[in-house]
Every structure is written in structure tokens, then in C-alpha cells.
Amino acid sequence: MVLAVTEAPSPEDYRGVWVYLEHDGEELLNVSLEIMGKARELSDTLRTELTGVLLGSGIGHLARISMEFGANKVLVVDSPILDHYSTYAHTKAMAELVRARKPEILLIGATHDGRDLAGRLAVRLKTGLTADVMRLEIDESGLLVAGVPGFGGGILAMVKCEASRPQMSTVRPGVFAPLEPDRSRMGTVETVEVDVSEQDVKREILERVVEERVDITRAEHLVVGGLGTGGDLTLIRNLAQLMGGEVGVTRPLADEGYVSRDHQIGTTGYSVRPKVLIVAGASGAMTFTSGIDDSEVIVAINTDREAPIFDHADYCVVDDLFKVLPPLIKEVRGSRE
Amino acid sequence: MKDGLKIVVCAKVVPKPEEVKVDPETMTIVRTEVENELNPACKHALEMGLQLKDKHGGEVILLSMGPPLFEGFLKMGIAMGADDAVLLSDRAFAGADTYATSYALAEAVVKIGDVDLILCGEETSDSSTGQVPPGVAEWLDVPQITYVSQLEIGEDGRLRGKRSITGGHEVIAVHMPALVSVEIGVNSPRFPDFRRKRWAEREFELKVWDIGELGVEPEMVGLPGSHTSVDRLIEAKSPERLREFVEGTPEEKAKKVYEIIKPYLQS
Ligand SMILES: Cc1cc2nc3c(=O)[nH]c(=O)nc-3n(C[C@H](O)[C@H](O)[C@H](O)COP(=O)(O)OP(=O)(O)OC[C@H]3O[C@@H](n4cnc5c(N)ncnc54)[C@H](O)[C@@H]3O)c2cc1C
Ligand SMILES: Nc1ncnc2c1ncn2[C@@H]1O[C@H](COP(=O)(O)O)[C@@H](O)[C@H]1O
């Protein structure tokens, strides 16, 4: 053995549920609010406190909002060093907080930054981490049981972390629902200092572009394009706009850069739950369909009658999307006028 | 910088997702007759490594932890252009979660020695955690850039990676040695070279390291070295859908679809 290993304290010393509150400097990400909704329930079951953890620069105003969404307590680390996410500085700050306060559960959104942090932090804290979970429960003995999707979403493994603490999970965006914000919810805000300095950042941001912040997980209506569109999303966009909804895509279209990753549905994208989802030109890979299963009504359009997407649809249209979408757009537009 | 780059590509072999079934009686995964493949994201990582080697010289070493059946797939990686392959294979490694996996891989990187860059896939299609790459980086105490679509070495010798973040992307620079996880779909992995393939299959011998050779304690790897355990498996069944076919001309179908969705649009 070359790499160092140290001993950790015992599980009984850990108490409370923590949610790492990811934000963009101005607003909390929806996934953070979603996790808080679920974490509130877990805290109640465990009869313990729910703490939100905010790391950033000039983010004090987010503490109040966190309480409206369910936190009893918010820990705020406000430092210019933590302005944008950096693996080293954020991991160091979180490790210091966890070691000092010892939460039994730590939940983090399964965003790219959230996963970048969680994977590193779990090893530093010598604890177990479940990834991208879609279910969270407390068992009879008070352990967290996390539902981890595997094999493209076809199987959910219920996973525990028995001996080490905190029990960490990253949580898939779009799976849980936030609480209705309630201004009368009270709690305490504590500002904490951690030992991070310029030397801890260890990366330089050369460029940073955040174009748009769409949230397809909340959309009431979604029109989704797959590779069958050939990358031409004009009709998809038109219909989505007329329906007052958003545009979704399968992974290859996001890979090709036709739209940002924020529009991507599936195991490596978002899970959605609209009232109506129209999907055109997608074959229905399991990694994709596991993201649309919570939709109320699904209409699928595909030229191939045998396409697996039809097994996941309420209404199946075997036809060319370029022939069916224009008259459908006409119908919807007609009703708007 | 020394002559060229020493790049380790961490690669795993996975069952094709469509082929995996759960035995409803025992609720265990049926692995017999399942077709395997090199994990897609790992293939993109290998291609990225080979491109860096084409540009800067050096060597690309495949690293994998898994059963002997992985060998054939690693040889395909050799045929694609990798110079060497190390397979960590021992019963003691079995049952590892991402903690124990990242530890074993990190120890292997230390043993390989003098590595400038470790490339991983963003995630595997069987466990899809994306946790192994940051885990390996933490064990090695090197910087990481995850979810990378473009990677280059700047004039200052630092590694520059374009990574996707919520709502956009960032380009960040870190010092090497470093670890990078590569996004699915960012390049087209090259085909195995025919002559190399014959050579890889007939003559090339990959290194197989057991736990003694890796020099790690049994309680640090495999099941004993893991922090998480699977309680039970649930088949994540999609809800039953109506699956009603809408017939007619495109216009008639459009009209029918509109009638179906109309009530939802008005609410
Ligand atoms: C680890 C991993 C994770 C992944 N995660 C995701 C994920 O999160 N989300 C995701 O979507 N994918 C994901 N994928 C990719 C996934 O496996 C499929 O490759 C992808 O979903 C296929 O996209 P598609 O249906 O748009 O394209 P295709 O499979 O190529 O299907 C195109 C369909 O369009 C139809 N078509 C063609 N022309 C027309 C026309 N004119 N009118 C109507 N229909 C037409 C065709 O009949 C075909 O069925 C992942 C893959 C891996 C390996
Ligand atoms: N058993 C393994 N052997 C080699 N590399 C692995 C192994 N498991 C995971 N990895 C690497 O870590 C990446 C992410 O895997 P995961 O964290 O399991 O989703 C993969 O694309 C590989 O590069």
C-alpha cells in the first residue's frame, strides 16, 4: 500500500441531514430545492435537523430562500475563493465542515459540478457514496437506502452505506418535487469560516459561458426531437412554443451541439414529468425512455412501426415527422387564434 | 516536459445495456450469454488519448480492473493504437464499489509510475456513477477536469480542458499530472488496425496484476474495501402505456393528435 489511509469516528457520532445547495450566484438550482423537499421528509422520519450548506461569494441572500423550502438551518461559507466551483477548494471546504459537524446524511445534486465534488469528497472522507439516485428511503434501523439506476435505467439497485459516515448520495435532477415555498418557515443562519485560500483553487478558468438556463424538468409540455430530425429542430421548436412548453432532445443531438445539454432527457440528462410529451424521431433507447416514464401522456412519431419508442407511448404515429408536425402546428396555432 | 506524454486510459468492459435482464425469482442479474463491449465513454477516452499521443508523442497504457474476460477487449484497444495494457485481476478485487475501485486503480497508476495524464470515461453504462474518476484523482492528489469534450496542452505546459457545466461550458487549466474524464460522443473512436489486431491477438501479452503484484492489502479492495452494499435489486419497469396507433393521412393523424392533447393544453 502506497496511498495513506486514516481512521474515521464511529457512525453514532453523526447526526442530521445535510443538503449541499448548488447555485449560480443568483439563484439556487432547482435540483437543490428538489432534494430539500425529499430531505425534509427524511429528516422528519429521523427526527433530526435539515441543514442546507451554501458555499460561494456574496450568497447570503440565498439562506432565507433555503429556509422557505424546508431547511431548519443554513450554513453559509462566504468567500471570494469559492466564487465559481473549483474541485480542490470546494472539496476542502466541505471536508472541513463535515469533519467538524458530522452529519449522518449528505445529499448533493447529480449535476456535473455536484458529481465532480461528491466523488472526490467521498474518498477524502473515507465514506460510501451512491450516485445519481432516483429513490431515497430510511429503513427500520435508520439507515439511508438509495435507489441507484443501473444498466441504462432498467434496474434500480437499493444500496446502503452501513459503517461509514456521512452516507452520501448524488441525486438525479427532476426526480423529487420541491416543497411549496413557505415564508413562515423559520430557521437559523450561521456564517462559518473555513480554511481555504487562493492556493487551494488549483485551476484557472480561462473561459466560462453560461448561455441559457432552461429547466425542462418543470415544463408542463415538452416536444422532443431525436436523430430522426437530422438536427433540424425548427418544427420541434415551433410546436413547443405554441404549446407553451420546452424543447427536449435525445443525447446525440446535445452531443452534436444543436442545443445545450440542459435540453437532454435520459439517464445522463434530465428526468421529466410533463402533462404532454410529444417525441418525434427518437428510437426509444432505454437510457432515453427512463427519463420520460413519469410523463402523463406520451405521443410518439416515428417512421418505423417497430421502433421501441412505441412501447413507451400512449399514442403512436407511424409517419414522417416532417409530414405530421406541420399540420399539427397548424391545428395548435389555429386554436390559439 | 520529458519526451512525450505518459497517458493511462482507465477502461472497463460492460454488458450491452439492452441485454441485461433480472431473474424475477432471485432478483439477481442474469449474466449468461450477455454480449459485452468496451464501455462507450472509455472508448472516447482512449481515442482522446491516442490523439494526444499522435500530436505530442509518448505512450498510451490501458488500465482496467476486472475478470480475465476483459483481456480480449483490452487487446482491441491495443489494436486501436494503445501501447500497453494492465489488467488488475484477482478474486480479491471482486465486489468493489467505486471507493475500492478507485483505490485499486490509483495504486496501479502509482505502480505504472511517472504518469502525466489519466483519462477516464465520464461514466460506465452498467453502473453509471461517474464517481470513479474523481475518486482516482483524490487518491492520487492530482487535479481533475470532468465531463471534458476538448483537451489540449497549452504553451505554458498546462492541460486545458473544455468541460460542460449546467447551462454552458467552461475551459479550465490545471497542472499535470492530472486526471480527465471524457464525455460520451465527443469523438469517433478509430477502428482497430488490421495488422495490429492480428499482432495483438497472437503475440501481444498484456500485464495481469493480482493483489500481490499490485501490493495492496486485501481489506482495502473488493468487497471488504467497499463502503456501500447492495440491499436488493428492483426492476425499474416502465409504466404501462395505451400504445394506441393513430391511423390516416398525415393531416388526419395531426388532427387526431391535436384532439388528444387539446384538453391538456387548455388547463
Ligand atoms: C452511458 C450512456 C448513456 C446514455 N445516456 C443517454 C441519455 O441520457 N439520453 C439519450 O437520449 N440517450 C442516451 N444515450 C444514447 C442512447 O443509447 C441512444 O443512442 C440515443 O438515445 C438514440 O437517440 P435517437 O433516438 O435520437 O437516435 P436513433 O436511435 O438513431 O433513432 C432515430 C429514430 O428516428 C426515426 N426516424 C428517422 N427519420 C425519421 C423521420 N423523418 N420521421 C420520424 N422518425 C424518423 C428512426 O426510425 C429511428 O427510430 C446514452 C448512451 C450511453 C452509452
Ligand atoms: N473496473 C474499472 N476498470 C477500469 N476503469 C474503470 C473501472 N470502473 C470505472 N472505471 C473508469 O471510470 C470511468 C467512470 O466509471 P463509473 O464511475 O463507474 O461510472 C469509466 O469510464 C472508466 O474510465
Side-chain angles (χ1 to χ4, degrees), chain A residues 221-226 228-243 245-249 253 259 263 278-282 301 321-322 325-326 329:
Chain A
H221 308 303
L222 275 171
V223 185
V224 183
T229 62
D232 179 359
L233 295 174
T234 320
L235 294 170
I236 304 284
R237 283 209 177 87
N238 282 350
L239 182 57
Q241 199 181 7
L242 283 168
M243 290 171 66
E246 298 282 359
V247 171
V249 291
L253 294 185
V259 288
H263 292 272
I278 299 177
V279 48
I301 306 169
L321 69 96
F322 292 99
L325 288 181
I329 287 170

Side-chain angles (χ1 to χ4, degrees), chain B residues 63-139:
Chain B
L63 171 62
S64 189
M65 183 179 89
L69 91 92
F70 282 21
E71 281 188 25
F73 296 90
L74 294 176
K75 284 182 177 170
M76 286 301 277
I78 296 290
M80 281 170 68
D83 299 278
D84 206 352
V86 176
L87 178 62
L88 308 180
S89 201
D90 194 312
R91 279 184 181 279
F93 293 134
D97 71 356
T98 53
Y99 184 91
T101 301
S102 63
Y103 171 71
L105 293 174
E107 288 281 9
V109 172
V110 173
K111 189 173 154 81
I112 290 168
D114 217 12
V115 173
D116 300 295
L117 175 63
I118 303 121
L119 293 175
C120 290
E122 72 169 274
E123 65 173 45
T124 50
S125 61
D126 57 347
S127 52
S128 53
T129 75
Q131 279 168 202
V132 170
V136 172
E138 171 64 14
W139 283 110

Side-chain angles (χ1 to χ4, degrees), chain A residues 226-227 250-251 264-268 281-283 287-288 302-303 320-321:
Chain A
L227 269 182
T250 59
R251 169 136 195 161
Q264 185 201 318
I265 297 172
T267 54
T268 49
S283 58
T287 46
F288 169 73
N302 196 308
T303 41
D320 186 342
L321 69 96

